[in-house]
Amino acid sequence: MVQGSTDAADEKARPEVAVEIAGLNKWFGEFHVLRDINLNVARGERIVICGPSGSGKSTLLRCINHLEDWQTGRIVVDGIELNDDPRQIVAVRRDVGMVFQHFNLFPHLTVLENCTLAPIWVRQMPKRDAEAVAMKYLERVRIPEQAEKYPARLSGGQQQRVAIARALCMNPNIMLFDEPTSALDPEMVKEVLDTMVGLASDGITMLVVSHEMGFARQVADRVMFMADGQILEINEPKAFFAHPQHERTRLFLQQILH
Amino acid sequence: MASDTFYLRQTPLVVLLPPRARAGVLGWLRANLFSSPFNIGLTAICVILIAWVVPPLLRFLLVNATWSGDRAACLPSADNPHPGACWAFVRVWLSYFVYGFYPIAQRWRVDLFFVALAFGIGWLAWLRAPRRDVAALYFFVVLPVLSLILLCGFPLIGLPGVSTVLWGGVLVTIVVATVGMVCSLPLGILLALARRSQIPVVKWLAVMFIEFVRGVPLITVLFMASVMLPLFVPEQLSPDKLLRALIGVAMFASAYMAEVIRAGLIAIPRGQYEAAQALGLGYWRTTALVVLPQALRVTLPNIVNVFIALFKDTTLVFIVGIFDFLRTIEAARGDPRWTSPIVSITGYAFAALFYFVCCYGMSRYVHGMERRLARRSG
Ligand SMILES: Nc1ncnc2c1ncn2[C@@H]1O[C@H](COP(=O)(O)OP(=O)(O)OP(=O)(O)O)[C@@H](O)[C@H]1O
Ligand SMILES: [Mg+2]
C-alpha cells in the first residue's frame, strides 16, 4: 500500500488505518446502492474515486461521516467505530471534514463567520482564536480579503475554496471531497484543484470523488473505480491508467479521457 | 516610453450630466406616471379617486371639526351646518381610552410601562444599536417582570395592587398584542420544529394542537378560555380573566405562526443541514445557528402579516368582557351625555387611525429590514 509519508512522526498515537470499511451494504428501499464494500485507507493516504453516475460514490463518502445510515457492515474512522450512538457520530464528524459539490456555504453568514461557526460552537474555541485560525486557512486558500463578504458575492471557485477553508478550520485528520469541481466553470476548476494539491502535500488523509484524472495522476496514492455499488478496481494511478484490469474501467476511462 | 504618456490622469474628467428628461421632477413624472398610455390612464383614474375622496375627508377630519366643547358644540348649528369630527369627545375621553378604569392616582405606572416598552422596542428595532444582545435580555426577561410588577402592583414595595378588571383601553390592547406576539414567535418555532420532528409522539401532538386551534375561530378559543375553564376549575382557583384571554390569544397566534415558520423551514435546502452536520453541529445548534436564521428571514413578511392580523384581532377580547381600546370607544360613544352619530363616527375614525398607525408602522419597519437583508445577499 502506498503511503503518504510526510509528517507521520507526530501521528504515532493514532491508528495507522484512518478509515476502515468492512462488509458495508446499504439499500435505499429495495435498491442495493452499496454492495459489500471493503476498504482500508491508511493515514495520510489520498484516494481518488471515480465511476459512472449513480454508482454510489457519494453515498459511500457520506457513510464515512454518517450523513447516510447503512444496514450491514462496519466503519471505523480514526479508531472510532461508527454506530447509532450520537456521541460517536459527532466525534467522527469533528475529525472528518467534508466538501460538497454545491459548496453548501451558509448564506446568512460572512465568509469569516462560515469558518468560525463550528470551531466556536463545536470545539468551544474562543471567538478571537477561531477567527485567527479562520484567517490562517483563508490565507491558505488565498482569499483572506474576502473574509467580510457574504458567500453570494463570491465566484463559484472562491466559494468552494471558502468551503475547503471552513472544513479545515475544524483541523480534521481526514477530508472528504464529493465532486468539488464539477459544479464550477472550467476556468475556476484549476484554482480549486491547486488548493487541493496544496492540501495533499500536507499529508492529510483525502478521499476525493472526482473525474479530474489529471489531479488523480498528480496526487492520488490509489485510484478507485466504482460501478453498481461495488469497488471494481483499485490501484496505484500509474497502473490504473496504464493497465486497467476491468473492461468497464477501460470503457469508462476511454469516455472520460476522450 | 514617450514622456507624454501618463498612467495617472492629468486633467479632471469632464462631468457628464444625465440627459435632461430623466432627471428632476419632470423626468420622474414621465418615467413613473406617463410612460405609456396604460400608465396615463391609471394616473388619471388615481387623480380622480383622490380628488373625490380626499377633500371631503379633510373637510370632515380637520376643517369642519369641533376641537373643544361638549356634545352640543358638535351638533349642527347655524354657523356650522355640516359639522365635522367631534374631537372634543376624544379629548374628554382620551384618558379613558388609554387607561380604562385604571385608578387615576396610579396611572403613572402605566405611563412608565409604555415608556419602558417603547424603549425596549426602539432598542431592539434599531438594527445598529449597541449591545442588542442586552436589548433582547431586557425585552424578553426584564421587561415582562417589570411590567407585571408595575401594572399588577407589588404591595411589598409600596405599589398597591390593581385588579385587571380595571385595566382598559390602549393599555389592554398593547398588553394583549405584545404578549401575543412575544409568545407566538418562540412557541410557533417550537411547534413548527415539533411538526417536522422524527419522533412520532412529538409530531402528532404538534399537528393536533395546530390543526385544532387553527380550525376554530379566535372567538371560540376566547369563549372556551373564559367560559369553559371555570367549569373545570373552581372559581377561586381559576386564573384571572385577562390572563385567560392572553393564553387564548397566545395559543391562537402560535398555531398560525407555527405554520408560517414551517413554510420557511421547508424552504431551507438539505445541503444546509448536511453542511452543518458534517461540521459536527448537533440538531439544536444546526437549527439555531443555520436553519432558523435563514427560515425566519424568508418568512419575515409572513411573520409580520401574522403580527398585524393579531394586533387587529385583539379587539375580539371584548367578547369575554375585557375593555380593550375599541371597546372603550364603544362604551364612551354610548354615554347619553355624548351620544350622537357624529360622535360615533369620530370614535371609529379615531380607532381606525390608531390601528392604522400601529400596523403601518410595523409594515414599514419590516419593509426597511427586508431591503437591508436583501442588500447583503444580493
Ligand atoms: N436519499 C436517497 N433515496 C433514494 N435513492 C437515493 C438516495 N440518494 C441516492 N440515491 C440513489 O442511489 C444511487 C447512488 O447515488 P450516489 O449519489 O451515491 O451516486 P454517485 O455515484 O455519487 O453519482 P453521481 O456521479 O451522479 O453523483 C443513485 O441511483 C441514486 O438515485
Ligand atoms: Mg455523487
Side-chain angles (χ1 to χ4, degrees), chain A residues 73-214:
Chain A
R74 63 195 284 264
I75 300 182
V76 182
V77 180
D78 256 340
I80 309 165
E81 167 127 32
L82 270 173
N83 46 34
D84 285 336
D85 183 351
R87 276 168 306 175
Q88 304 279 83
I89 295 175
V90 170
V92 165
R93 284 176 182 166
R94 287 166 63 133
D95 210 41
V96 178
M98 185 159 194
V99 174
F100 299 86
Q101 181 176 5
H102 296 287
F103 332 136
N104 295 359
L105 294 178
F106 305 129
H108 62 299
L109 300 177
T110 62
V111 165
L112 188 64
E113 289 165 342
N114 262 278
C115 293
T116 57
L117 185 78
I120 290 175
W121 291 96
V122 180
R123 288 216 186 278
Q124 266 84 38
M125 210 185 267
K127 189 168 177 227
R128 209 171 272 273
D129 299 358
E131 283 177 350
V133 170
M135 285 314 294
K136 183 180 101 186
Y137 284 113
L138 286 174
E139 261 153 41
R140 183 77 201 279
V141 300
R142 298 192 312 280
I143 36 175
E145 72 282 359
Q146 313 284 1
E148 299 304 326
K149 288 194 184 166
Y150 286 91
R153 294 281 162 89
L154 305 186
S155 74
Q158 289 173 325
Q159 290 191 44
Q160 194 58 297
R161 284 186 282 152
V162 172
I164 293 173
R166 177 176 71 177
L168 290 176
C169 283
M170 285 296 280
N171 201 12
N173 289 314
I174 300 163
M175 285 284 283
L176 310 174
F177 294 83
D178 190 1
E179 306 205 33
T181 58
S182 60
L184 296 175
D185 291 338
E187 71 270 22
M188 296 172 188
V189 169
K190 189 171 176 307
E191 63 186 58
V192 172
L193 288 181
D194 285 348
T195 308
M196 292 169 60
V197 171
L199 275 185
S201 63
D202 282 8
I204 196 167
T205 311
M206 290 166 73
L207 282 97
V208 184
V209 174
S210 176
H211 293 161
E212 297 291 338
M213 290 303 137

Side-chain angles (χ1 to χ4, degrees), chain B residues 365-377:
Chain B
Y365 170 71
V366 170
H367 194 72
M369 200 150 118
E370 274 164 29
R371 291 229 304 248
R372 250 179 75 98
L373 292 175
R375 228 177 298 142
R376 91 164 39 161
S377 55

Side-chain angles (χ1 to χ4, degrees), chain A residues 28 31 33 52-59 68 179:
Chain A
F28 279 123
F31 178 57
V33 56
S53 179
S55 55
K57 309 180 295 290
S58 301
T59 309
E68 297 283 357
E179 306 205 33

